[in-house]
Amino acid sequence: MSSTLRPTRPSEFRETETLTRKAFTGLVLPAGPRIPEPGDPPCDEHLLLHRLRESDLYIPELDWVALDGDTIIGHIVYSHSKVIDDDGTEYAVITFGPVSVLPSKQRQGVGKALIKATMDHARSMGFKGIVIYGHPAYYPRFGFVNAEHYGITTAEGENFDAFMACELFPGELDGVAGKFVVDEIFQIPMDDLREFDKQFV
């Protein structure tokens, strides 16, 4: 479907958090289904989005929405991350997520359009590469391959199909080998999530 893509406005932050909550509720992720305990919030991605925007990792220029008329139907956000080699040398990369599309608008090309447009913008900003955890059947269409191709592992030294990387310029990830370090902001305490989720019920 055709949609308008543009940077997110601060006045739209809460709306995109609400959209993210709707998009991820009940979603089956590559690591397995999200099965909340009775009474728990349905997902944690909306709090992650909120926390990213308050952190130094947040990249405001790569926080974008997709609109159908005046209605926000999709959203993507990027953050700074890094790969650290065995000598402690740090290499700057970026990551994106959560990527959210309203359930009624999914499978209509909204997420694809957001990813392609923001990857182009990230390239214009001079970023070298992107490392993500994502669906291995979906992201290769954007140039992602198993991160093992570049000698990048998880912080635990592992590789698997859902752990992927993409160069934004040819050769830019050559020599960027090491462990992808996930900031502690991505670890969402359940007590914090329960409290935050009360705003959406």
Side-chain angles (χ1 to χ4, degrees):
M1 67 174 295
S2 177
S3 55
T4 302
L5 310 178
R6 62 161 171 78
T8 308
R9 298 165 182 163
S11 61
E12 297 166 333
F13 282 3
R14 176 47 57 93
E15 185 175 354
T16 54
E17 291 168 5
T18 300
L19 181 152
T20 298
R21 185 179 187 271
K22 291 178 180 177
F24 279 89
T25 295
L27 189 66
V28 176
L29 301 176
R34 182 182 301 281
I35 307 176
E37 294 295 323
D40 282 348
C43 65
D44 60 19
E45 283 80 5
H46 54 315
L47 177 52
L48 172 59
L49 172 58
H50 184 82
R51 292 177 67 181
L52 282 172
R53 285 172 166 154
E54 295 181 336
S55 76
D56 293 338
L57 303 177
Y58 176 56
I59 307 174
E61 299 88 349
L62 292 174
D63 182 338
W64 281 39
V65 290
L67 300 102
D68 182 2
D70 294 328
T71 302
I72 295 176
I73 59 171
H75 175 259
I76 190 170
V77 66
Y78 285 67
S79 52
H80 294 285
S81 51
K82 58 188 174 183
V83 174
I84 303 178
D85 69 14
D86 292 339
D87 297 324
T89 301
E90 297 186 2
Y91 302 94
V93 292
I94 58 176
T95 190
F96 59 69
V99 182
S100 309
V101 178
L102 280 178
S104 62
K105 300 295 183 180
Q106 291 174 6
R107 302 183 182 278
Q108 298 179 39
V110 177
K112 179 180 178 181
L114 276 169
I115 292 167
K116 289 184 67 174
T118 52
M119 284 181 67
D120 286 344
H121 195 59
R123 191 175 291 109
S124 75
M125 293 175 68
F127 290 113
K128 296 181 177 182
I130 304 171
V131 180
I132 62 167
Y133 292 90
H135 202 295
Y138 182 73
Y139 287 100
R141 71 192 67 186
F142 303 104
F144 284 90
V145 297
N146 191 310
E148 185 177 22
H149 177 81
Y150 299 107
I152 299 171
T153 72
T154 67
E156 295 75 31
E158 299 175 341
N159 281 103
F160 42 86
D161 289 344
F163 180 55
M164 294 173 281
C166 177
E167 293 179 320
L168 290 173
F169 297 96
E172 286 290 352
L173 290 181
D174 289 350
V176 182
K179 295 181 177 180
F180 178 64
V181 178
V182 177
D183 192 90
E184 62 181 13
I185 199 171
F186 286 85
Q187 303 301 317
I188 306 293
M190 182 55 69
D191 287 346
D192 292 354
L193 177 58
R194 290 191 182 108
E195 189 63 30
F196 182 72
D197 196 63
K198 291 177 182 177
Q199 303 173 38
F200 298 84
V201 179

